[in-house]
């Protein structure tokens, strides 16, 4: 596909758009239009711009049908989102309440429990990663729960389990290894 040469004022408009853009992909597409108006064919333009011939033909069709405004690269709309506003509102509401209050038999919320509950409550089933991303967007963090003995924590403020980062080392709790009586020593007869 080749295009007829442009009038000087139209050529100046394409060159101005080429020089004005800061997006590299859009600049490359304006260059495709300029090369096509110089009489180069789509396969030759594809070879010069390191793009596919189908991309060149698509850009040239856009420029002829929609003008310069149709040339810049645009991301397609993609599929419609699965998550609804009611789903998001229910997520934000239910994350603040005890799971047992909404008949979920657990002491803490997990992404798996949230996904299952929200699928039943709203009819929208999503993956665990979708739940995690929407929790993150609502300023919540998904992490493992930390269990403390409430009675001990309330009795003493200096209880070591209350200290941040406290963790017993496994070295202090491993059994000592003693040589067994049947070790590799030679026995006397």
């Amino acid at each position: 596909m080749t295009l007829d040469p442009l009038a000087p004022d139209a050529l100046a408009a394409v060159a101005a758009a080429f020089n004005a853009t800061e997006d590299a992909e859009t600049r490359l597409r304006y260059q495709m239009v300029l090369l096509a108006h110089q009489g180069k064919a789509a396969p030759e333009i594809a070879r010069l711009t390191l793009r596919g011939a189908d991309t060149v033909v698509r850009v040239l069709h856009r420029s002829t049908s929609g003008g310069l405004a149709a040339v810049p690269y645009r991301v397609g709309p993609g599929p419609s989102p699965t998550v609804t506003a009611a789903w998001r509102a229910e997520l934000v509401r239910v994350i603040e309440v005890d799971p047992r209050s909404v008949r979920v038999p657990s002491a803490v919320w997990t992404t798996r429990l949230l996904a299952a509950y929200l699928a039943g409550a709203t009819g929208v089933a999503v993956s665990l990663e979708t739940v995690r991303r929407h929790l993150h967007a609502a300023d919540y963090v998904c992490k493992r729960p930390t269990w403390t003995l409430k009675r001990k924590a309330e009795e003493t403020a200096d209880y070591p389990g209350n200290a941040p980062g406290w963790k017993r080392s496994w070295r202090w709790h491993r059994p000592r290894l003693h040589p067994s009586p049947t070790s590799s020593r030679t026995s006397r007869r």
Side-chain angles (χ1 to χ4, degrees), residues 86-95 114 118 131 134-135:
W87 186 93
R88 276 190 223 100
E90 182 65 13
L91 172 69
V92 172
R93 182 195 73 79
V94 81
I95 195 68
L114 280 168
L118 290 168
V131 172
H134 283 278
L135 282 171

Side-chain angles (χ1 to χ4, degrees), residues 16-169:
F18 172 81
N19 290 325
T21 186
E22 294 182 8
D23 181 39
E25 187 65 28
T26 302
R27 182 180 299 253
L28 189 67
R29 288 168 182 257
Y30 283 129
Q31 184 181 14
M32 290 176 190
V33 173
L34 287 171
L35 290 171
H37 284 294
Q38 291 175 357
K40 301 210 183 304
E44 188 178 359
I45 296 172
R47 200 170 41 256
L48 289 171
T49 58
L50 301 176
R51 294 293 186 267
D54 56 338
T55 302
V56 173
V57 170
R58 191 177 331 111
V59 168
L60 296 179
H61 279 295
R62 283 184 187 167
S63 71
T64 55
S65 64
L68 288 180
V71 173
Y73 178 76
R74 290 184 298 273
V75 177
S80 62
T82 355
V83 173
T84 62
W87 186 93
R88 276 190 223 100
E90 182 65 13
L91 172 69
V92 172
R93 182 195 73 79
V94 81
I95 195 68
E96 291 294 331
V97 299
D98 185 32
R100 290 173 283 216
S101 68
V102 289
R103 297 188 177 112
V104 175
S106 177
V108 293
W109 282 113
T110 63
T111 52
R112 185 174 310 277
L113 289 173
L114 280 168
Y117 169 77
L118 290 168
T122 63
V124 178
V126 294
S127 69
L128 303 180
E129 182 62 18
T130 302
V131 172
R132 190 197 65 76
R133 281 188 292 115
H134 283 278
L135 282 171
H136 181 70
D139 290 331
Y140 288 96
V141 178
C142 298
K143 62 180 184 176
R144 293 181 181 265
T146 53
W147 299 95
T148 58
L149 191 57
K150 187 176 181 181
R151 175 179 48 82
K152 285 262 196 187
E154 289 175 351
E155 287 174 7
T156 57
D158 58 342
Y159 178 63
N162 291 337
W166 180 82
K167 189 175 185 182
R168 283 190 166 177
S169 173

